[in-house]
Amino acid sequence: MAVGEVMRMEIPAGGDLTVTSPELHVLAVDDSIVDRKVIERLLRISACKVTTVESGTRALQYLGLDGDKGASHLKDLKVNLIVTDYSMPGLTGYDLLKKLKESSAFREIPVVIMSSENILPRIEQCLKEGAEDFLLKPVKLADVKRIKQLIMRNEAEECKTLSHSNKRKLAQDIDTTSPSSSSSSHDDSSLKDFPSSKRIKSESENLSSLL
């Protein structure tokens, strides 16, 4: 599939799922179809893969956090970022944020909240619960690019940390096997120093001739 080409997929019970390519995979959640299209377009311009759903409940289904229901065949797709509207019927963006942060599988995924209302206590509450950022609608391309750069930096740091961890583990494994090698070497040197039977016989003969 060419870069920028849109591939559409459906999950049970309706819903609007749109997956584009490539790079970061973003799950966008908004009950407004207009706002969903806006954020999808901005993310596509920023070369992100996008999946859009129309409610917090559908987002949980997509991620497999609603039990056995939903798109279980899509659960193994890696999601790098979740962008959700705050005010939605049923499960709000704030409720979705709390459920994600309570999940051991998804708590590390950055969540960005969007809202058309600039209410400071609401913003502070979301940030306190672990939101990565809070964007005011209409969301701008600069907002999306800034968030993307932040997520990519975080991903790079995680990869770097994992690489260092693997190196330390490898060094520890080498250290663990080293004593046996040095012991073997020590044993070999001891054997070299031990007098051979021929040497003992020769020294005995020399001693007899002297006597």
Side-chain angles (χ1 to χ4, degrees):
M1 186 171 64
V3 174
E5 182 181 353
V6 178
M7 176 179 67
R8 294 191 176 273
M9 299 188 298
E10 293 183 1
I11 62 176
D16 178 17
L17 274 183
T18 305
V19 178
T20 63
S21 60
E23 293 188 58
L24 295 183
H25 183 194
V26 183
L27 176 61
V29 190
D30 203 311
D31 61 311
S32 166
I33 187 171
V34 174
D35 288 342
R36 280 204 307 275
K37 294 301 180 183
V38 169
I39 191 65
E40 177 189 356
R41 178 172 174 75
L42 293 175
L43 288 165
R44 285 178 55 199
I45 291 173
S46 301
C48 292
K49 181 168 69 174
V50 188
T51 299
T52 60
V53 293
E54 78 283 3
S55 68
T57 301
R58 298 291 287 152
L60 293 180
Q61 289 178 3
Y62 179 80
L63 296 170
L65 289 176
D66 65 329
D68 295 329
K69 298 181 292 181
S72 58
H73 63 289
L74 295 176
K75 287 191 299 182
D76 56 348
L77 284 178
K78 179 176 174 60
V79 176
N80 305 99
L81 172 66
I82 297 174
V83 180
T84 179
D85 183 34
Y86 182 93
S87 299
M88 295 185 293
L91 195 71
T92 67
Y94 177 71
D95 295 331
L96 176 60
L97 170 67
K98 290 182 67 176
K99 286 186 175 294
L100 290 169
K101 295 307 175 181
E102 290 169 359
S103 167
S104 59
F106 297 101
R107 68 163 60 107
E108 299 301 325
I109 297 179
V111 180
V112 174
I113 307 293
M114 305 178 293
S115 179
S116 57
E117 299 175 301
N118 188 6
I119 302 176
L120 187 58
R122 175 183 295 179
I123 296 173
E124 291 176 344
Q125 188 180 36
C126 289
L127 295 177
K128 183 179 179 181
E129 286 294 334
E132 191 75 22
D133 207 339
F134 196 103
L135 303 179
L136 291 176
K137 294 182 178 180
V139 178
K140 301 176 179 61
L141 182 58
D143 295 327
V144 172
K145 288 184 175 180
R146 176 172 56 82
I147 294 298
K148 180 186 176 183
Q149 290 173 356
L150 175 64
I151 302 306
M152 291 186 70
R153 278 200 302 270
N154 291 344
E155 294 265 327
E157 289 175 2
E158 287 178 5
C159 290
K160 187 176 180 180
T161 301
L162 181 61
S163 176
H164 288 166
S165 176
N166 290 337
K167 287 180 180 179
R168 284 196 299 269
K169 187 177 184 302
L170 180 60
Q172 290 172 354
D173 291 341
I174 293 174
D175 290 342
T176 302
T177 57
S178 292
S180 60
S181 300
S182 61
S183 174
S184 175
S185 176
H186 177 71
D187 292 342
D188 290 343
S189 62
S190 298
L191 289 173
K192 289 179 182 177
D193 294 337
F194 194 84
S196 65
S197 59
K198 287 185 178 180
R199 181 183 169 187
I200 294 173
K201 183 178 179 182
S202 174
E203 289 178 354
S204 298
E205 289 174 353
N206 291 336
L207 183 60
S208 298
S209 63
L210 291 172
L211 295 174

